Each structure stands twice: as C-alpha cells, then as structure tokens.
Amino acid sequence: MTEKVINPDENTIFVGNKPPMSYVLAVVTQFNGGSDEVVIKARGRAISRAVDTAEIVRNRFVQNAKVKDIKIGTENITNEEGRNSNVSSIEISSCNNKEKSLVKNRYNDFAIMSKTNKQ
Amino acid sequence: MTEKVINPDENTIFVGNKPPMSYVLAVVTQFNGGSDEVVIKARGRAISRAVDTAEIVRNRFVQNAKVKDIKIGTENITNEEGRNSNVSSIEISSCNNKEKSLVKNRYNDFAIMSKTNKQ
C-alpha cells in the first residue's frame, strides 16, 4: 500500500448559493473516497446552508458522521466598490467513525450518483 | 449576599428575523446584568444571524466574551398545513471572562442604551 498524501484543502467543502443537496453530495463523496474528516466552510447567509449540509449528511447518509468541531469567525472582505465589510464565517469539521460497517450500505446508493455526476 | 437562582431560559436569546443589532443588545444586556454565560439559539435561515450576533458581541462590545460551545441539530416542525419538516438549529454558548476589567468601559455605553430601551 502506498501512503496517501493528505491535502487539507481537498477535504474542504465551500458552501455557497447552490441547493444544499449539491454540498451534501460533495461531502458524502469525500467520505466515500476514504476521507476521515471533511470541513464544511461558509460565509454570510450561506452559513445556515452549511449547517443544513452537515445535518443532512449525518441524518440521512453517513450515520457514523460526527461533528468534531465548529468554529465561527469574522472575515474582512473588500467589495467591488473598494469598501471593506465584515462577514461572519463558519467551519464545521465532520468526521466519519468507520468502525461501524452499517454506513456503507447507506451511502453506496449515493456513491453511484456521485460517480455518474463526475463523468 | 443572597444566592441567585439561575433560570437557564433567562440566559437564552432566540434569534429571529429582526436586525442583528436587536439581538446584540439583548446579549450585551444579559452580560451586563451579571450573567456569566449567554446561549444564542436560532433555527433555519436565522442561523447566520445568530453567528453574526455572537461575532458582533465579541468584536465590538464584550471583548472578553468567548465562544464556549457550539451545537448544531435538527428539529422537526409541523407547519400550518399539518406537514412535518426538518429544520436545522444552532446553539452558541458564549461566556464572559470577567477577570479583565477593560470590558466594562466598553459596554457601559451600551448599558445606558439598554436601560433607556427598557423604559
């Protein structure tokens, strides 16, 4: 077995204005690809969608997924007109406890979806 | 000194659709009234406003305030038509480290505002 180089950015899902299920799919795909931990990030109004994403993943698809840590913060953003404004941000770290095998059956259906989507 | 009976509900601020500053004022008033911990709760789209509230309190008014714990969850709600739907929720526990006295000056201005508001 070759050792896998872990790139932390690969495990990060940025939540924006798409429907929550797009991000749910991205998170489940990450877990399915062998990631132990996925970080869901969002800013401003997308914060509530990030929480939705984490909750849908945990309740419907990866039942061993646990919220490991949640951080909130403030980011300074310069808009198109050159003005600075503060925007809140969230980082939800979700980890997958793989010991229970029950999960796999649950998210195999989703894995097929994600593979189809990639092509 | 008489012992104060702590009612956990009194320290909870429910964030809804008002402007964030309304909730900031409520949180600062709680801290100013002697609470060591304030819980900011919200559901659905108000979640991002709850994060804004916690961040504005910490950055502008109570600089010793620290986010102690953040919980996310899902609540089942029955709407007017009798349908069930799931909605995400957040609970941000913010605590005030009173050891540093620097804070008081900062939020005395706000305390005056809040007293005026109560009358």
Side-chain angles (χ1 to χ4, degrees), chain A residues 33-67:
Chain A
S35 297
D36 294 329
E37 190 175 334
V38 175
V39 180
I40 302 164
K41 288 190 184 183
R43 291 197 292 207
R45 289 190 189 174
I47 287 174
S48 50
R49 201 168 294 122
V51 176
D52 288 343
T53 302
E55 284 295 300
I56 294 170
V57 167
R58 194 173 58 86
N59 291 328
R60 292 201 218 155
F61 298 103
V62 189
Q63 296 193 320
N64 289 337
K66 278 190 182 169
V67 172

Side-chain angles (χ1 to χ4, degrees), chain B residues 24-44:
Chain B
V24 170
L25 178 65
V27 174
V28 174
T29 305
Q30 280 293 332
F31 277 135
N32 213 17
S35 297
D36 294 330
E37 190 176 333
V38 175
V39 181
I40 302 164
K41 288 188 184 184
R43 292 197 292 208

Side-chain angles (χ1 to χ4, degrees), chain B residues 24-75:
Chain B
V24 170
L25 178 65
V27 174
V28 174
T29 305
Q30 280 293 332
F31 277 135
N32 213 17
S35 297
D36 294 330
E37 190 176 333
V38 175
V39 181
I40 302 164
K41 288 188 184 184
R43 292 197 292 208
R45 288 189 190 175
I47 287 174
S48 50
R49 202 168 292 123
V51 175
D52 288 343
T53 302
E55 284 294 300
I56 294 171
V57 167
R58 194 172 59 84
N59 290 328
R60 292 201 219 156
F61 298 103
V62 189
Q63 297 193 321
N64 288 335
K66 277 190 183 170
V67 172
K68 195 177 151 191
D69 190 29
I70 304 173
K71 285 178 197 160
I72 59 171
T74 303
E75 292 180 19

Side-chain angles (χ1 to χ4, degrees), chain A residues 43 73-79 82-89:
Chain A
R43 291 197 292 207
T74 303
E75 291 180 20
N76 195 291
I77 287 181
T78 309
N79 67 6
R83 281 186 199 163
N84 280 331
S85 60
N86 289 326
V87 67
S88 301
S89 63

